[in-house]
Structures are given as C-alpha cells and as structure tokens.
Amino acid sequence: MPVDALTLSDVLDAAVPFALPLRRRFRGIDVREGVLIKGPSGWGEFAPFDDYSDAAAARWLESAIEAAFGEWSQRARDEVEVNAIIPAVDSSAAASLAREAVLELGCRTIKVKVGSADLLDDEARVASVRDVLDTALGRGRGAIRIDANAAWDVTRAAAALRRLVAYDIEYVEQPCASLGELRELRRLVEVPIAVDESIRTSADPGSVRVRDIADVAVLKPAPLGGVAATLRVAESLDVPVVVSGSLDSSVGLDTAVAAAAALGDLPYACGLGTGALFADDVAEPRLPVGGVIAVGRTAPDLPSLLAARDRLDDDRAAWWRQRVAAAWAVKG
Ligand SMILES: [Mg+2]
C-alpha cells in the first residue's frame, strides 16, 4: 500500500499501544509508552512524550508510517558506533556504569550528564568516568562528552567548562537554553558545543544557522519525522551530525539506527545505546555489541508485545489511539 493512499483507519487498525517499564527514572518517567504500528515494511513506533504538541506528534507519526509502510533511505554503513550514557549519579555509581559500558558493551564513548547544583559533583562524576576509560582503553583513547540539558547560564557554563576541559571533553551538549546564550558561550570556551533541543523544537528545523551557534548538531530521527526527514535536515546543516534516540523501544531504535546508517558523514558515536535503560522490551533489546549496533528490523515477539499492551488500562490505550488520530489530523 503506497503511503499516499493510507487512511487513518489503516493506521489505527495496525496500531498497538504499549507500555514498557524503565530500569530507572529517565527524563522524568518510569514507564515508556507509545504505539507500535505494523505495516508491510515492518514495524514503526509512535511515542511522542506527553508534553509534545499535536504538530510535534505529527512528525513522529510520519516517522512511524515511514517505518511501517514506506522505505528507508539507502544505507552508507551496516553498523553504527554508539555511546553509553551515565545519568546524574554519584561518582562511584558512575564508575561502575562506565565499566559495564566499556567492558560488556564495548563502548569507547561515554556521555555523562552534568548540570548538578554543585559543580564538584559534576566534576567527580566526569573524573571517575575518565579514569575508567583511561584504565580500560589507554590514556586518551576513550571519549567523554557531557550533556547539561540547558541547566547553565553563560557564566556557570563557562566556569564549568573551564574546569571540565581538563578531562578531555569531546563536546558539551546543550550547555545553555537559548541560541543567544550558546553564541555568547562559544566565544568564551574552547570545548566544542553541540546543540539539540533548539533544533528539534524549531518550527522549521532546517532554517537554523547551526554553524553560528554550535560545532555539532544532535538529531533525533523520530521527532524529526523519520529517516528521510533526518537526512534532509542533516544536509541543510553545515556541521557534523550525531544521531540520537528518543528513549525508544527496540522497534523505535531501528529507525534511529537506519537514519544514522544512511548519513554519508558520521564522525561521532551516536546516542543509540538506550536499550539498556529498559527493564522490559517488546523484543530482544537492541544493545551495543563491540560498541556498535547493526542496522536491522525488529519484529516484536508476541508474548512481550501482549505484555506491553496489557500494561495499559483501557482508558490509556484509548488516549494513545486518540493521539494517533490527533497527529494524523495535523500532519502534512
Ligand atoms: Mg540531551
């Protein structure tokens, strides 16, 4: 069935609302919910966070429809190098998570959350991860990137980065909230700056002159509208791109991996190592092996899919189906 001929009822007939528990609270949630959609091409995932507008959700629906009913762009590689993520935990917990990521998953790049109330907590966390990487891989061989989730103003960001630069930081993601702050910070520090939120929520993601404010752009394929949309945005930017997931199930992760694999130029490890955050998934989790994730198509296994479906009560399942309809109504 061509994507253009699809109707809302085709999509709803193929939709399975789901809920998956996380191992620990992440982005303010304990359970990841969404809708899986099955089509002739495979499965797609529609999982806009609760605070997304219908317009933002519509892009996510386009991504799910592309996966289930459309075709993904041709790949430039068969596997994608991924980074691990260390949340804002204390330094000894950070060290043990980092060891697990390096020794068991083969990751050579670790993203560390920063932006704690006390900069010393951030520094202790980053220092312990640097220590693990240097011990396991050799001095300077593993990469650390940090993510402040816009927690800093320019003054605090500059102070933090002047301290943290000692641990050899690949880049800092979203140190400040606004484009103006990022532009100002960039003149004050040497650590490269990556931008994500400001691109994703911009009305026209392709219109931001990223080179003026940052050195790297983090793109999230599902909220951008899928693989083809991600390639379009990447082409319109004049900085290297890092592809990142959106706390996706194994099915949703396939889309992000496919987008990363389709990019001609992919100089950095991608943020696709989030499978380990799930306590339960709809299929065998898509975890990095030897630090990479292979391009692929995940089909949910039936018992896991039914369990994920049955975790939602009828009202919540109906709410998700309504959300699909609302996104459909505003999508282009
Ligand atoms: Mg981020």
Side-chain angles (χ1 to χ4, degrees):
M1 177 185 315
V3 171
D4 292 347
L6 272 183
T7 65
L8 174 58
S9 49
D10 294 330
V11 174
L12 287 174
D13 286 349
V16 185
F18 69 87
L20 295 170
L22 302 177
R23 270 185 217 288
R24 64 164 62 83
R25 203 168 173 79
F26 197 86
R27 208 189 180 279
I29 57 172
D30 303 296
V31 177
R32 186 72 172 105
E33 295 182 1
V35 178
L36 294 183
I37 297 170
K38 185 183 193 310
S41 308
W43 290 79
E45 181 163 314
F46 171 74
F49 294 96
D50 281 13
D51 57 348
Y52 275 41
S53 66
D54 288 348
R59 288 193 198 146
W60 210 307
L61 184 60
E62 284 169 12
S63 174
I65 288 173
E66 177 195 59
F69 297 93
E71 258 177 76
W72 282 333
S73 318
Q74 202 173 355
R75 62 177 90 156
R77 61 188 64 73
D78 294 327
E79 53 189 31
V80 175
E81 189 180 351
V82 307
N83 65 272
I85 301 179
I86 307 289
V89 293
D90 68 38
S91 61
S92 69
S96 76
L97 289 170
R99 242 175 256 121
E100 195 179 300
V102 174
L103 301 177
E104 289 170 30
L105 305 177
C107 293
R108 308 173 69 84
T109 300
I110 297 184
K111 171 158 122 176
V112 182
K113 292 281 182 185
V114 294
S116 307
D118 187 341
L119 175 57
L120 291 177
D121 292 336
D122 287 339
E123 184 171 1
R125 191 178 312 118
V126 170
S128 69
V129 172
R130 172 48 69 202
D131 192 47
V132 167
L133 283 171
D134 285 355
T135 303
L137 301 174
R139 182 162 288 275
R141 302 283 290 280
I144 294 179
R145 59 182 67 156
I146 55 179
D147 186 353
N149 286 324
W152 292 325
D153 60 23
V154 173
T155 310
R156 288 192 64 204
L161 293 172
R162 284 187 190 119
R163 283 192 77 96
L164 298 176
V165 71
Y167 303 94
D168 194 4
I169 304 300
E170 179 179 56
Y171 63 72
V172 55
E173 183 174 324
Q174 211 68 39
C176 304
S178 75
L179 303 186
E181 288 172 306
L182 293 174
R183 197 177 280 123
E184 193 184 335
L185 177 65
R186 196 142 168 259
R187 288 195 293 264
L188 300 175
V189 297
E190 280 170 29
V191 176
I193 292 174
V195 71
D196 82 354
E197 272 75 3
S198 28
I199 301 221
R200 199 170 77 233
T201 54
S202 159
D204 176 8
S207 74
V208 182
R209 288 236 320 170
V210 175
R211 186 183 34 165
D212 294 345
I213 53 165
D215 307 279
V216 177
V218 181
L219 299 184
K220 304 195 174 197
L224 278 177
V227 175
T230 302
L231 293 189
R232 272 198 306 278
V233 173
E235 261 164 40
S236 74
L237 302 175
D238 35 19
V239 294
V241 161
V242 171
V243 172
S244 182
S246 308
L247 201 50
D248 319 277
S249 80
S250 281
V251 166
L253 214 45
D254 289 345
T255 292
V257 175
L263 285 161
D265 191 27
L266 195 67
Y268 295 102
C270 286
L272 305 170
T274 48
L277 296 170
F278 285 79
D280 217 331
D281 204 334
V282 290
E284 197 63 31
R286 299 270 273 137
L287 300 177
V289 176
V292 303
I293 293 187
V295 180
R297 281 281 192 175
T298 299
D301 69 70
L302 193 58
S304 304
L305 181 62
L306 294 178
R309 184 197 66 181
D310 292 345
R311 269 187 214 104
L312 289 176
D313 64 28
D314 290 349
D315 284 352
R316 191 66 181 170
W319 183 85
W320 270 109
R321 298 174 73 82
Q322 177 48 43
R323 211 152 178 229
V324 171
W328 177 275
V330 300
K331 97 179 166 59

